[in-house]
Amino acid sequence: MNVFITGCSTGIGLAAAEHFTAKGYKVIATARNPKSSEGLQSLDQSNDSAMVLALDVTDQASVDTTIKKVTDEAGAIDVLINNAGGAMIIKPPEEISPEEWRAGIALNLDSVFFCSQAAAKSMAEHRGGRIVNISSVAGIKASPAFVHYGAAKAGVINLTKSLALLWGKHNININCIAPGLTATE
C-alpha cells in the first residue's frame, strides 16, 4: 500500500511518515526542501520502503508531475495525507499584504486541492483510495491573529466535505482532522 504524505519536514507529517513506514507501508514523504530535515534524511537512509521527494505543493504543475512520477514508478496512491501548511505570519488583518494573503491561501488551501485532484485521478482508475486532509482548530474557531490561516483551514474543511460527496462514487473516502497546537522542533 502506497501512502503519499505532504509536509513531512517536521511535526505531524514526519511523525505520520515514520509511523506508516514502521507499519510496513510504502511511504512517499514530501517536503519543499527535504534535505533540510534531519528526520527525513534519516527516514530516507534507514528504510527501503520510504521515498523522500522535494515537492512545492503550491505549484500545480509540480504536484501533477510528482504524483505521475510516483504512480508510474511505485503504483497507485492508496492513501494521500494532505499535511503541508502553516501559519507563516502572525499579524492583524489590516496589516496582511495581498502577497501574504495569497501565499497563506496557496500553502494551506490550494495545495490540498492540487494534491487531492492529482491523486484522485489515480485512485479513481484503481477503484478507490483514502484522502486525509489536515485542517486546524483555527478553521473552526476564529482567531484575530490568524485570519488568513483560519480562512484557508476553514476552506479545507468545506473542500473535504464537497470532494467526499463528489468522489464517493469512485470509492474515494475523504476525511479531515483539525488538530490544535502540536509540539514540534
Side-chain angles (χ1 to χ4, degrees), residues 2 7 28 33 38 41 64 75 86 90 95 98 132 149 160 172 182:
N2 292 326
I28 301 91
N33 185 4
E38 289 180 30
Q41 292 305 306
D64 291 343
I90 300 172
E95 295 177 16
V132 178
Y149 178 73
T160 300
I172 300 172
T182 303

Side-chain angles (χ1 to χ4, degrees), residues 55-66:
L55 176 62
D56 178 355
V57 293
T58 67
D59 178 352
Q60 186 173 13
S62 178
V63 168
D64 291 343
T65 300
T66 300

Side-chain angles (χ1 to χ4, degrees), residues 111-130:
S111 65
V112 174
F113 178 72
F114 297 156
C115 292
S116 296
Q117 184 183 51
K121 292 173 187 172
S122 169
M123 291 176 179
E125 289 174 10
H126 292 89
R127 301 178 193 244
R130 307 290 176 259

